Amino acid sequence: MNQQDIISFIEQNDIKKIKFAFADIDGVLRGKIIGRQKFLDGLADGYGFCDVVWGWDSSDTPYDNGRTTGWHSGYPDAPVRLDLATFRQVPWEDGIPFFLADFSADGNGKPDSDLAACPRSLLKRIAHDCRKMGFHAEYSQEFEWFNFRETPQSLQQKDFRNLEPLTPGMFGYSILRPSLESAFYHDLFDLLGEFDIPLEGLHTETGPGVYEAAIMHDEVLKAADKAILFKTAVREIAYRHELVATFMAKWNADLPGCSGHIHQSLWNPEQTKNLFYDPAQPNCMSELMRQFIAGQLHCLPHITPMFAPTINSYKRLVEGAWAPTTVTWSVDNRTTALRVLNRTEAYTRVEHRVSGSDSNPYLAIAAALASGLYGIRHQLTLDIPASVGNGYADKKHGVLPANLSEATRAMANSPIASELFGPEFVDHFTRTRDWEWRQYVSQVSDWELKRYFEII
């Protein structure tokens, strides 16, 4: 639907309110409902939105180290613009029209001010560069998450302890467990589809009350849009069933973590040929694919916070926990950072396995695409051999940072990160990650109290 089609739809259906949202640096959707006239008036020049959304963390606490905005700037309004191509209706909210937005002045992701912090604008710029190189990027993100028989109120009352999972026991790929909560299970699949987030599959993973969903692949920006909406949509659908869904990377030390794997391929502009597939080459891997993988491996230690942005992310990235810890790749091996899947041309792709379910899809996908294009642009040679067997033991070519502080320092000081994303974005993002680390280390944990309170 073009702009006039949307205006006609709004008027003919006497729609009085419209909902929109955009993703902040943590991947939290921020937005509001506006009236019909406000919607119509802002289509050309955007809507003023307080830029504090770039100056505070996921708990609405202002950064003390921000440059993009802050007390020094007075938190002015910045123009947020709706992307009319993202129009959809929210099926669980009486079909209210919904749009995604960002702070781009044009379709290439160029910010109209110093708001280089906008994640969607960053991805738009990298996707534009990809098209200029002659490639169509096809992407998808899949997610694992845990569901609990709780409410936001009960979480607070219980202080996030002794939570009741949706179902008990370790029931990966179970047909039995979903039938126990069939209304929720089918609502997820059906309502997400109606919300233009079609799923390839939905199943239980190993762990109490944990599900995994694979979103249908799409053009890279549309894929990221669907991924960011998926996480909020799942939470809202869960609320309807008096449940709470969490996308924490590792909510319990004794249970598997939650991934946000990214599936990626490059095609010709007509989308008729998968440029990663070459049956004449070993493992059917084209030279372009090998350069793409080489770029991702080369850049990975410099940009890890884009895939693992929270303190908790690194509790997932440990040996033997179904998440990678080394700079490795393989053909169909789930112990490495990158996994090649290449049984047919149509489905040949690279799975980036570092990203967790707590990632901001715009940033994780932007990092994956930009680092792959880096390898193509610099014609890197894939001189790291494919890992065979246990990828955790294959440490010859490097290991991932051990925590957010280490990863943030590496990114902040990396000329590669600045080349990929621009120095303004890197400065803003790493400042937010440094803030996150400092909030963590200033706290006294239950573990410390139990270990030291009486005996030390």
Side-chain angles (χ1 to χ4, degrees), residues 17-21 32-34 90 93 96-99 236:
K17 55 187 178 182
I18 293 90
K19 191 175 186 179
F20 76 88
K32 60 175 71 173
I33 288 176
I34 56 176
V90 186
E93 289 189 358
I96 185 174
F98 178 89
F99 297 88
E236 292 186 5

Side-chain angles (χ1 to χ4, degrees), residues 110-127:
K110 180 181 178 182
D112 62 359
S113 69
D114 62 347
L115 290 174
C118 178
R120 191 172 192 266
S121 296
L122 176 69
L123 179 56
K124 286 168 71 172
R125 177 172 60 78
I126 293 169

Side-chain angles (χ1 to χ4, degrees), residues 151-168:
T151 66
Q153 291 78 13
S154 71
L155 292 177
Q156 297 291 333
Q157 291 164 1
K158 292 183 173 184
D159 200 21
F160 295 88
R161 295 185 179 92
N162 301 316
L163 306 181
E164 181 184 354
L166 176 64
T167 54

Side-chain angles (χ1 to χ4, degrees), residues 199-261:
L199 301 184
E200 282 190 350
L202 174 67
H203 62 86
T204 60
E205 255 295 354
T206 183
V210 59
Y211 285 172
E212 178 177 357
I215 305 170
M216 286 283 291
H217 57 86
D218 206 335
E219 181 275 330
V220 64
L221 180 62
K222 294 179 180 177
D225 286 343
K226 290 175 180 178
I228 201 86
L229 289 174
F230 173 89
K231 293 175 69 174
T232 293
V234 165
R235 293 186 183 101
E236 292 186 5
I237 294 169
Y239 285 162
R240 289 167 52 87
H241 292 267
E242 300 183 332
L243 303 172
V244 170
T246 180
F247 288 85
M248 278 186 69
K250 185 87 167 180
W251 83 271
N252 186 306
D254 298 324
L255 294 172
C258 291
S259 70
H261 299 156

Side-chain angles (χ1 to χ4, degrees), residues 176-205:
L176 179 64
R177 277 295 188 255
S179 68
L180 193 61
E181 299 291 339
S182 60
F184 175 53
Y185 192 70
H186 289 286
D187 258 3
L188 285 171
F189 199 97
D190 298 339
L191 292 175
L192 287 166
E194 292 177 36
F195 196 43
D196 193 25
I197 309 176
L199 301 184
E200 282 190 350
L202 174 67
H203 62 86
T204 60
E205 255 295 354

Side-chain angles (χ1 to χ4, degrees), residues 304 310-311 313-318 325 399-409 437:
T304 304
T310 73
I311 299 296
S313 301
Y314 299 83
K315 305 294 178 68
R316 167 182 166 263
L317 298 174
V318 295
T325 59
V399 296
L400 298 183
N403 56 56
L404 183 59
S405 178
E406 180 184 330
T408 298
R409 288 197 305 272
W437 176 258

